[in-house]
Amino acid sequence: VMERVLQDIACLIRNKIKREVINFDGQTMRGSADKYKDLKGIHLLNAWSVDNRICLGQLKVDDKSNEITSMPRLMDSLDLKDTVITADALNTQKEITAKAIENGADYLLPVKGNQPKLLEEITSSFKQLDIEQKQAKEKWEWAISKAKEHRDHKRLKQLLEEGVSLCGADYWESVEKNHSRVETRSCTVLKAKKVLSKDEWAKIESIVRLRRERKEKDEAREETVYYITSLKSSAKIIADIARSHWDIENGLHWRLDIVFKQDKSRYRNRIGARNLAIARKIALNALMKENSIKRGVATKQCAAACNPAYRGKLLKNLF
């Protein structure tokens, strides 16, 4: 019942927009563990609106199960029409993609080792793309050299403006420099027509390769992550959506642990602990939507505790 209250209040303050990004991710309440009863901490699956900066809902994951079975249930309880669903690789499941499409949503999900067949097909597609792009680059460079050799300035200008063929892919890259650190992010989006098992997944339109390279002094690190998506969007839009998935960690989980000190709570009653988690999220939603004080959540929380008028304003904004 309390979980329904959180969803109803979130609906009242939610500004429904097209392609609203909804993050799904789990969080364990470590303080609720009870080693004497051999009980692990309660694990909650949360839904976070990146655009509205509020928690839309939570669902307790069964102690003997995992997020894979809980996520479709939470999705069914929310209004997901015209949104984009993101989750971690654990939840890259056929049932979840089907559930997203059934609810009128799109999805962007990472593909890792838990889906070996799909991962192999995606990596093979991008390896073939790399070969084709290498050949296209060599052909383009040869044409450039010939244009220079024949002093064909018009052809040279045309080749430089066109650039190297992307062979049907869409590409975007950004470079961020911060003191001694240089971080390069690139996103390549390819139509999923070469993925043999694409019919097993609901409405796969594109496959994605995201690369992150960080150089700091003499150290360099590179990470490559692959995705499936029902979106036909540009590489930049998809890269932004993928990056925004971690907003649930900073916007919700971090604040619950640091500002509300959730992990330090030793309340172990299974139902009571869940209700306390809901109360924290309702309070966080109220603090996030209140903008008369241009300060952080912790400052506004303190103001609400000390000022009855401000506390009343916060509560009024929820209804």
Side-chain angles (χ1 to χ4, degrees):
V1 176
M2 283 290 289
E3 286 165 349
R4 187 72 246 178
V5 170
L6 169 62
Q7 293 178 17
D8 290 343
I9 291 176
C11 283
L12 293 174
I13 60 177
R14 179 184 181 189
N15 180 24
K16 194 76 165 59
I17 60 174
K18 190 174 179 63
R19 280 200 177 166
E20 177 185 7
V21 179
I22 310 294
N23 306 149
F24 286 83
D25 196 25
Q27 184 186 33
T28 300
M29 301 172 63
R30 303 186 189 282
S32 63
D34 191 339
K35 65 179 181 180
Y36 298 106
K37 294 182 179 180
D38 196 26
L39 292 173
K40 296 180 180 179
I42 296 172
H43 192 72
L44 300 173
L45 180 64
N46 301 313
W48 173 258
S49 170
V50 174
D51 300 279
N52 282 280
R53 307 286 290 163
I54 59 171
C55 180
L56 300 179
Q58 80 168 35
L59 186 66
K60 179 186 177 296
V61 177
D62 293 339
D63 293 335
K64 296 182 180 180
S65 184
N66 56 37
E67 294 177 20
I68 296 173
T69 57
S70 300
M71 186 165 168
R73 291 161 50 208
L74 182 55
M75 291 171 70
D76 276 338
S77 68
L78 302 173
D79 178 10
L80 299 179
K81 189 176 181 181
D82 295 328
T83 65
V84 181
I85 302 305
T86 71
D88 57 21
L90 173 69
N91 290 306
T92 303
Q93 305 289 335
K94 295 171 186 175
E95 182 185 358
I96 288 171
T97 60
K99 185 63 67 176
I101 300 303
E102 179 187 320
N103 282 279
D106 285 297
Y107 60 83
L108 177 66
L109 298 170
V111 181
K112 295 186 179 179
N114 62 323
Q115 296 293 345
K117 179 184 175 183
L118 181 60
L119 180 60
E120 183 181 357
E121 291 174 356
I122 293 173
T123 53
S124 296
S125 296
F126 279 106
K127 284 178 183 177
Q128 182 60 37
L129 175 67
D130 291 339
I131 292 170
E132 293 173 2
Q133 288 184 339
K134 183 180 179 182
Q135 293 171 345
K137 184 178 180 181
E138 290 172 351
K139 185 178 179 181
W140 179 77
E141 289 174 343
W142 179 84
I144 289 280
S145 65
K146 284 297 180 182
K148 289 179 178 178
E149 181 182 332
H150 294 95
R151 297 184 180 180
D152 188 344
H153 300 296
K154 184 177 179 181
R155 175 63 175 159
L156 180 62
K157 182 180 178 182
Q158 181 185 359
L159 287 167
L160 292 172
E161 287 177 350
E162 290 175 354
V164 183
S165 172
L166 294 174
C167 303
D170 188 32
Y171 181 79
W172 174 83
E173 181 179 281
S174 73
V175 180
E176 294 180 6
K177 296 181 179 179
N178 185 10
H179 301 294
S180 60
R181 186 180 68 191
V182 179
E183 190 165 354
T184 304
R185 295 186 182 89
S186 65
C187 179
T188 307
V189 179
L190 193 61
K191 290 182 180 178
K193 57 185 178 182
K194 293 184 180 180
V195 177
L196 298 177
S197 62
K198 71 183 182 71
D199 292 337
E200 300 175 16
W201 300 80
K203 287 194 175 182
I204 290 183
E205 292 291 343
S206 309
I207 54 176
V208 182
R209 179 174 65 190
L210 272 178
R211 279 182 171 159
R212 305 180 186 92
E213 183 179 355
R214 176 181 290 184
K215 293 181 179 178
E216 192 168 1
K217 297 180 180 178
D218 298 329
E219 184 181 357
R221 288 184 293 174
E222 185 176 318
E223 179 188 21
T224 302
V225 183
Y226 298 95
Y227 292 80
I228 55 172
T229 181
S230 59
L231 294 167
K232 297 180 181 179
S233 304
S234 68
K236 183 182 185 309
I237 291 174
I238 289 176
D240 288 342
I241 293 172
R243 192 176 185 183
S244 73
H245 174 67
W246 300 109
D247 194 63
I248 191 171
E249 292 291 343
N250 300 323
L252 178 62
H253 296 168
W254 184 87
R255 287 191 170 100
L256 289 173
D257 286 339
I258 304 303
V259 179
F260 287 87
K261 302 187 186 328
Q262 178 172 267
D263 271 353
K264 292 185 178 180
S265 173
R266 300 297 293 163
Y267 192 63
R268 295 171 180 172
N269 180 279
R270 309 302 271 182
I271 296 175
R274 285 168 59 187
N275 290 340
L276 277 175
I278 292 168
R280 293 185 192 102
K281 286 163 187 165
I282 292 173
L284 178 61
N285 285 352
L287 293 167
M288 294 293 287
K289 297 300 284 187
E290 209 297 297
N291 296 315
S292 64
I293 296 179
K294 303 299 181 182
R295 294 290 186 273
V297 170
T299 302
K300 290 192 282 188
Q301 182 188 40
C302 183
C306 300
N307 188 331
Y310 182 68
R311 184 166 61 250
K313 184 178 182 180
L314 280 171
L315 294 173
K316 186 178 179 181
N317 287 342
L318 290 176
F319 303 100

Coordinates of all heavy atoms in Angstrom, one line a residue, residues 217-277:
K217 N 48.1 11.9 -17.0 CA 49.5 11.8 -17.0 C 50.0 10.6 -17.8 O 49.8 10.6 -19.0 CB 50.0 11.7 -15.5 CG 49.6 12.9 -14.7 CD 50.1 12.7 -13.2 CE 49.7 14.0 -12.4 NZ 50.1 13.9 -11.0
D218 N 50.6 9.6 -17.2 CA 51.2 8.5 -18.0 C 50.2 7.3 -18.0 O 50.6 6.2 -18.6 CB 52.5 8.0 -17.5 CG 53.6 9.2 -17.5 OD1 53.5 10.0 -18.5 OD2 54.5 9.2 -16.7
E219 N 49.0 7.5 -17.5 CA 48.1 6.4 -17.4 C 47.0 6.5 -18.4 O 46.4 7.6 -18.5 CB 47.6 6.2 -16.0 CG 46.6 5.1 -15.7 CD 46.1 5.0 -14.3 OE1 46.5 5.9 -13.5 OE2 45.3 4.1 -14.0
A220 N 46.6 5.5 -19.1 CA 45.5 5.5 -20.0 C 44.6 4.3 -19.8 O 45.0 3.2 -19.6 CB 46.0 5.5 -21.4
R221 N 43.3 4.6 -19.7 CA 42.3 3.5 -19.6 C 41.2 3.6 -20.6 O 40.8 4.7 -21.0 CB 41.6 3.6 -18.2 CG 42.6 3.1 -17.0 CD 41.8 3.2 -15.7 NE 41.5 4.5 -15.3 CZ 40.8 4.8 -14.2 NH1 40.3 3.8 -13.5 NH2 40.5 6.1 -13.9
E222 N 40.8 2.5 -21.1 CA 39.7 2.5 -22.2 C 38.7 1.4 -21.8 O 39.0 0.3 -21.3 CB 40.4 2.1 -23.5 CG 39.4 2.2 -24.7 CD 40.0 2.0 -26.0 OE1 41.1 2.6 -26.3 OE2 39.4 1.3 -26.8
E223 N 37.4 1.8 -22.0 CA 36.3 0.9 -21.8 C 35.3 1.0 -23.0 O 35.1 2.0 -23.5 CB 35.6 1.4 -20.5 CG 34.3 0.5 -20.2 CD 33.5 1.1 -19.0 OE1 33.6 2.3 -18.8 OE2 32.7 0.3 -18.4
T224 N 34.9 -0.2 -23.4 CA 33.9 -0.3 -24.5 C 32.7 -1.1 -24.0 O 32.8 -2.1 -23.4 CB 34.5 -1.1 -25.7 OG1 35.7 -0.4 -26.1 CG2 33.5 -1.1 -26.8
V225 N 31.5 -0.5 -24.2 CA 30.2 -1.1 -23.8 C 29.3 -1.1 -25.0 O 29.2 -0.1 -25.7 CB 29.6 -0.3 -22.6 CG1 28.3 -1.0 -22.1 CG2 30.5 -0.2 -21.4
Y226 N 28.6 -2.2 -25.1 CA 27.7 -2.4 -26.3 C 26.2 -2.3 -25.7 O 26.0 -2.7 -24.6 CB 27.9 -3.7 -27.0 CG 29.3 -3.8 -27.6 CD1 30.3 -4.4 -26.9 CD2 29.5 -3.2 -28.9 CE1 31.6 -4.5 -27.5 CE2 30.8 -3.3 -29.4 CZ 31.8 -3.9 -28.8 OH 33.1 -4.0 -29.3
Y227 N 25.3 -1.8 -26.6 CA 23.9 -1.6 -26.2 C 23.0 -2.1 -27.3 O 23.4 -2.1 -28.5 CB 23.6 -0.2 -25.9 CG 24.3 0.4 -24.7 CD1 25.6 0.9 -24.8 CD2 23.5 0.6 -23.5 CE1 26.2 1.5 -23.6 CE2 24.1 1.2 -22.4 CZ 25.5 1.6 -22.5 OH 26.1 2.2 -21.4
I228 N 21.8 -2.5 -26.9 CA 20.7 -2.6 -27.8 C 19.7 -1.5 -27.5 O 19.5 -1.1 -26.4 CB 20.0 -4.0 -27.8 CG1 19.6 -4.3 -26.4 CG2 21.0 -5.1 -28.3 CD1 18.8 -5.6 -26.3
T229 N 18.9 -1.1 -28.5 CA 17.9 0.0 -28.3 C 16.8 -0.1 -29.3 O 17.1 -0.6 -30.5 CB 18.6 1.4 -28.3 OG1 17.6 2.3 -28.1 CG2 19.2 1.7 -29.7
S230 N 15.7 0.3 -28.9 CA 14.5 0.4 -29.9 C 14.5 1.8 -30.5 O 13.6 2.1 -31.3 CB 13.2 0.1 -29.1 OG 13.1 1.1 -28.1
L231 N 15.5 2.7 -30.2 CA 15.5 4.0 -30.7 C 16.2 4.1 -32.1 O 17.1 3.3 -32.4 CB 16.3 4.9 -29.8 CG 15.7 5.2 -28.4 CD1 16.7 5.8 -27.4 CD2 14.4 6.0 -28.5
K232 N 15.7 5.1 -32.9 CA 16.4 5.3 -34.2 C 17.1 6.7 -34.1 O 17.4 7.3 -35.1 CB 15.4 5.4 -35.3 CG 14.6 4.1 -35.5 CD 13.6 4.2 -36.6 CE 12.8 3.0 -36.9 NZ 11.8 3.1 -38.0
S233 N 17.4 7.1 -32.9 CA 18.0 8.5 -32.7 C 19.4 8.6 -33.1 O 20.1 7.6 -33.5 CB 17.9 8.8 -31.2 OG 16.5 8.8 -30.8
S234 N 19.9 9.8 -33.1 CA 21.3 10.1 -33.5 C 22.3 9.5 -32.4 O 21.9 9.3 -31.2 CB 21.6 11.6 -33.6 OG 21.4 12.2 -32.4
A235 N 23.5 9.4 -32.7 CA 24.5 8.9 -31.8 C 24.7 9.8 -30.6 O 24.9 9.3 -29.5 CB 25.9 8.7 -32.5
K236 N 24.6 11.1 -30.8 CA 24.7 12.0 -29.6 C 23.6 11.8 -28.7 O 23.8 11.8 -27.4 CB 24.7 13.5 -30.1 CG 25.0 14.5 -29.0 CD 24.9 15.9 -29.4 CE 25.3 16.8 -28.3 NZ 24.5 16.6 -27.0
I237 N 22.3 11.7 -29.1 CA 21.2 11.5 -28.2 C 21.3 10.3 -27.5 O 21.1 10.2 -26.3 CB 19.9 11.6 -29.1 CG1 19.6 13.0 -29.6 CG2 18.7 11.1 -28.2 CD1 18.4 13.1 -30.5
I238 N 21.7 9.2 -28.1 CA 21.8 7.9 -27.5 C 23.0 7.9 -26.5 O 22.8 7.4 -25.4 CB 22.0 6.8 -28.5 CG1 20.7 6.5 -29.3 CG2 22.5 5.5 -27.9 CD1 20.8 5.5 -30.4
A239 N 24.1 8.6 -26.8 CA 25.2 8.7 -25.9 C 24.7 9.5 -24.6 O 25.1 9.1 -23.5 CB 26.4 9.4 -26.5
D240 N 24.0 10.5 -24.8 CA 23.5 11.3 -23.6 C 22.5 10.4 -22.7 O 22.6 10.5 -21.5 CB 22.7 12.5 -24.1 CG 23.7 13.6 -24.7 OD1 24.9 13.5 -24.4 OD2 23.2 14.5 -25.4
I241 N 21.7 9.6 -23.4 CA 20.8 8.8 -22.6 C 21.5 7.7 -21.8 O 21.3 7.5 -20.6 CB 19.7 8.1 -23.5 CG1 18.8 9.2 -24.1 CG2 18.9 7.1 -22.8 CD1 17.9 8.6 -25.2
A242 N 22.5 7.1 -22.5 CA 23.4 6.1 -21.8 C 24.1 6.7 -20.6 O 24.2 6.1 -19.5 CB 24.4 5.5 -22.8
R243 N 24.6 7.9 -20.8 CA 25.3 8.5 -19.7 C 24.4 8.9 -18.5 O 24.8 8.9 -17.4 CB 26.1 9.7 -20.2 CG 27.1 10.3 -19.2 CD 27.9 11.5 -19.8 NE 28.9 11.9 -18.9 CZ 29.7 13.0 -19.1 NH1 29.6 13.7 -20.3 NH2 30.6 13.3 -18.3
S244 N 23.2 9.2 -18.9 CA 22.2 9.7 -17.8 C 21.7 8.5 -17.0 O 21.1 8.8 -15.9 CB 21.0 10.4 -18.5 OG 20.2 9.4 -19.1
H245 N 22.0 7.3 -17.3 CA 21.6 6.2 -16.5 C 22.2 6.3 -15.1 O 21.6 5.9 -14.1 CB 22.0 4.8 -17.1 CG 21.7 3.7 -16.2 ND1 20.4 3.3 -15.9 CD2 22.5 2.8 -15.5 CE1 20.4 2.2 -15.0 NE2 21.7 1.9 -14.8
W246 N 23.4 6.8 -15.0 CA 24.1 6.9 -13.7 C 23.5 8.0 -12.8 O 23.9 8.2 -11.7 CB 25.6 7.1 -13.9 CG 26.1 5.9 -14.6 CD1 26.6 5.9 -15.9 CD2 26.2 4.5 -14.2 NE1 26.9 4.6 -16.3 CE2 26.7 3.8 -15.3 CE3 25.9 3.9 -13.0 CZ2 26.9 2.4 -15.1 CZ3 26.1 2.5 -12.9 CH2 26.6 1.8 -14.0
D247 N 22.5 8.7 -13.3 CA 21.9 9.8 -12.5 C 21.1 9.2 -11.3 O 21.0 9.8 -10.3 CB 20.9 10.6 -13.4 CG 20.5 11.9 -12.8 OD1 21.3 12.7 -12.5 OD2 19.2 12.0 -12.4
I248 N 20.7 7.9 -11.5 CA 20.0 7.3 -10.3 C 21.0 7.1 -9.2 O 20.6 7.1 -8.0 CB 19.3 6.0 -10.8 CG1 18.4 5.5 -9.7 CG2 20.3 4.9 -11.1 CD1 17.5 4.3 -10.1
E249 N 22.2 6.8 -9.5 CA 23.2 6.7 -8.4 C 23.5 8.0 -7.7 O 23.5 8.0 -6.4 CB 24.5 6.1 -9.0 CG 24.5 4.7 -9.5 CD 24.3 3.7 -8.4 OE1 24.5 4.0 -7.3 OE2 23.9 2.5 -8.8
N250 N 23.7 9.0 -8.4 CA 24.0 10.3 -7.8 C 22.8 11.0 -7.3 O 22.8 11.7 -6.2 CB 24.7 11.2 -8.8 CG 26.0 10.6 -9.3 OD1 26.7 10.0 -8.6 ND2 26.3 10.8 -10.6
G251 N 21.7 11.0 -8.0 CA 20.5 11.7 -7.7 C 19.6 11.1 -6.6 O 19.0 11.7 -5.7
L252 N 19.6 9.7 -6.6 CA 18.8 9.0 -5.6 C 19.6 8.2 -4.6 O 19.5 8.5 -3.4 CB 17.8 8.1 -6.3 CG 16.9 7.2 -5.5 CD1 15.9 8.1 -4.6 CD2 16.1 6.2 -6.3
H253 N 20.3 7.2 -5.0 CA 21.0 6.3 -4.1 C 22.0 7.1 -3.2 O 22.1 6.8 -2.0 CB 21.7 5.2 -4.8 CG 20.8 4.3 -5.6 ND1 21.2 3.4 -6.5 CD2 19.4 4.2 -5.5 CE1 20.1 2.8 -7.0 NE2 19.0 3.2 -6.4
W254 N 22.8 8.0 -3.8 CA 23.8 8.7 -3.0 C 23.1 9.6 -1.9 O 23.6 9.6 -0.8 CB 24.7 9.6 -3.9 CG 25.8 10.3 -3.2 CD1 27.0 9.8 -2.9 CD2 25.7 11.6 -2.6 NE1 27.8 10.8 -2.3 CE2 27.0 11.9 -2.1 CE3 24.8 12.6 -2.6 CZ2 27.3 13.1 -1.5 CZ3 25.1 13.8 -2.0 CH2 26.3 14.0 -1.4
R255 N 22.0 10.3 -2.3 CA 21.3 11.1 -1.3 C 20.7 10.3 -0.2 O 20.6 10.7 0.9 CB 20.3 12.0 -2.1 CG 20.9 13.1 -2.9 CD 19.9 14.1 -3.4 NE 20.5 15.3 -4.0 CZ 20.7 15.5 -5.3 NH1 20.3 14.6 -6.1 NH2 21.3 16.6 -5.7
L256 N 20.1 9.2 -0.6 CA 19.5 8.3 0.5 C 20.6 7.9 1.5 O 20.3 7.8 2.7 CB 18.8 7.1 -0.2 CG 17.6 7.4 -1.0 CD1 17.1 6.1 -1.6 CD2 16.5 8.0 -0.1
D257 N 21.8 7.5 1.0 CA 22.8 7.0 1.9 C 23.5 8.2 2.7 O 23.8 8.0 3.9 CB 23.9 6.3 1.1 CG 23.4 4.9 0.6 OD1 22.4 4.4 1.2 OD2 23.9 4.4 -0.4
I258 N 23.8 9.3 2.0 CA 24.5 10.4 2.6 C 23.7 11.4 3.4 O 23.9 11.7 4.5 CB 25.4 11.1 1.6 CG1 26.3 10.1 0.9 CG2 26.2 12.2 2.3 CD1 27.3 9.3 1.8
V259 N 22.6 11.9 2.7 CA 21.8 12.9 3.3 C 20.8 12.3 4.3 O 20.7 12.8 5.4 CB 21.0 13.7 2.2 CG1 20.1 14.7 2.9 CG2 22.0 14.3 1.2
F260 N 20.1 11.2 3.9 CA 19.2 10.6 4.8 C 19.8 9.4 5.7 O 19.1 8.9 6.5 CB 18.0 10.0 4.0 CG 17.1 11.1 3.4 CD1 17.4 11.7 2.2 CD2 16.0 11.5 4.1 CE1 16.5 12.6 1.7 CE2 15.1 12.4 3.6 CZ 15.4 13.0 2.4
K261 N 21.1 9.1 5.4 CA 21.8 8.1 6.2 C 21.0 6.8 6.3 O 20.9 6.2 7.4 CB 22.1 8.7 7.6 CG 22.9 10.0 7.6 CD 23.3 10.4 9.0 CE 23.9 11.8 9.0 NZ 24.7 12.2 7.9
Q262 N 20.6 6.3 5.2 CA 19.7 5.1 5.1 C 20.5 3.9 5.6 O 20.0 3.1 6.3 CB 19.2 4.9 3.7 CG 18.4 3.7 3.5 CD 17.8 3.6 2.1 OE1 16.6 4.0 2.0 NE2 18.5 3.1 1.2
D263 N 21.8 3.8 5.2 CA 22.5 2.6 5.5 C 22.8 2.5 7.0 O 23.1 1.4 7.6 CB 23.9 2.5 4.8 CG 23.7 1.8 3.4 OD1 22.6 1.2 3.2 OD2 24.6 1.8 2.6
K264 N 22.8 3.6 7.7 CA 23.0 3.6 9.2 C 21.8 3.2 10.0 O 21.9 3.0 11.2 CB 23.6 5.0 9.6 CG 25.0 5.3 9.0 CD 25.5 6.6 9.6 CE 26.9 6.8 9.1 NZ 27.5 8.1 9.6
S265 N 20.7 3.2 9.4 CA 19.4 2.8 10.1 C 19.5 1.3 10.4 O 19.6 0.5 9.5 CB 18.2 3.1 9.2 OG 17.1 2.6 9.8
R266 N 19.3 0.9 11.6 CA 19.4 -0.5 12.1 C 18.0 -1.0 12.3 O 17.9 -2.1 12.9 CB 20.2 -0.6 13.3 CG 21.7 -0.1 13.2 CD 22.4 -0.9 12.2 NE 22.6 -2.3 12.6 CZ 22.9 -3.3 11.8 NH1 23.1 -3.1 10.6 NH2 23.1 -4.5 12.3
Y267 N 17.0 -0.4 11.7 CA 15.6 -0.9 11.9 C 15.5 -2.1 11.0 O 15.7 -2.1 9.8 CB 14.6 0.2 11.5 CG 13.2 -0.1 11.8 CD1 12.8 -0.3 13.1 CD2 12.2 -0.3 10.8 CE1 11.5 -0.6 13.5 CE2 10.9 -0.6 11.2 CZ 10.6 -0.7 12.5 OH 9.3 -1.0 12.8
R268 N 15.2 -3.3 11.6 CA 15.2 -4.5 10.9 C 13.9 -5.2 10.6 O 13.9 -6.2 9.9 CB 16.1 -5.5 11.7 CG 17.6 -5.1 11.7 CD 18.3 -5.9 12.7 NE 19.7 -5.5 12.8 CZ 20.6 -5.9 13.7 NH1 20.2 -6.9 14.5 NH2 21.8 -5.5 13.7
N269 N 12.8 -4.6 11.0 CA 11.5 -5.1 10.7 C 11.3 -5.0 9.1 O 11.5 -3.9 8.6 CB 10.4 -4.4 11.4 CG 9.0 -4.9 11.0 OD1 8.5 -4.5 10.0 ND2 8.5 -5.7 11.9
R270 N 11.0 -6.1 8.5 CA 11.1 -6.1 7.0 C 10.0 -5.2 6.4 O 10.3 -4.5 5.4 CB 10.8 -7.5 6.5 CG 11.7 -8.6 7.1 CD 13.2 -8.3 6.9 NE 13.7 -8.9 5.6 CZ 15.0 -8.8 5.2 NH1 15.9 -8.2 6.0 NH2 15.4 -9.3 4.1
I271 N 8.8 -5.1 7.0 CA 7.8 -4.2 6.4 C 8.1 -2.8 6.8 O 8.0 -1.9 6.0 CB 6.4 -4.7 6.9 CG1 6.1 -6.1 6.4 CG2 5.4 -3.7 6.5 CD1 4.8 -6.6 6.9
G272 N 8.5 -2.6 8.1 CA 8.7 -1.2 8.6 C 9.9 -0.6 7.9 O 9.9 0.6 7.5
A273 N 11.0 -1.3 7.6 CA 12.1 -0.8 6.9 C 11.7 -0.4 5.4 O 12.2 0.7 4.9 CB 13.2 -1.8 6.8
R274 N 10.9 -1.2 4.8 CA 10.4 -0.8 3.5 C 9.6 0.5 3.5 O 9.7 1.4 2.7 CB 9.5 -1.9 2.9 CG 10.3 -3.1 2.4 CD 9.4 -4.3 2.1 NE 8.4 -4.0 1.1 CZ 7.4 -4.8 0.8 NH1 7.2 -5.9 1.4 NH2 6.5 -4.4 -0.2
N275 N 8.7 0.6 4.5 CA 7.9 1.9 4.7 C 8.8 3.1 5.0 O 8.5 4.2 4.5 CB 6.9 1.7 5.8 CG 5.8 0.7 5.4 OD1 5.6 0.4 4.2 ND2 5.1 0.1 6.4
L276 N 9.8 2.9 5.8 CA 10.8 4.0 6.0 C 11.5 4.4 4.7 O 11.7 5.6 4.5 CB 11.8 3.6 7.1 CG 11.4 3.7 8.5 CD1 12.5 3.1 9.4 CD2 11.1 5.1 8.9
A277 N 11.8 3.5 3.9 CA 12.5 3.8 2.6 C 11.5 4.6 1.7 O 11.9 5.6 1.1 CB 12.9 2.5 1.9

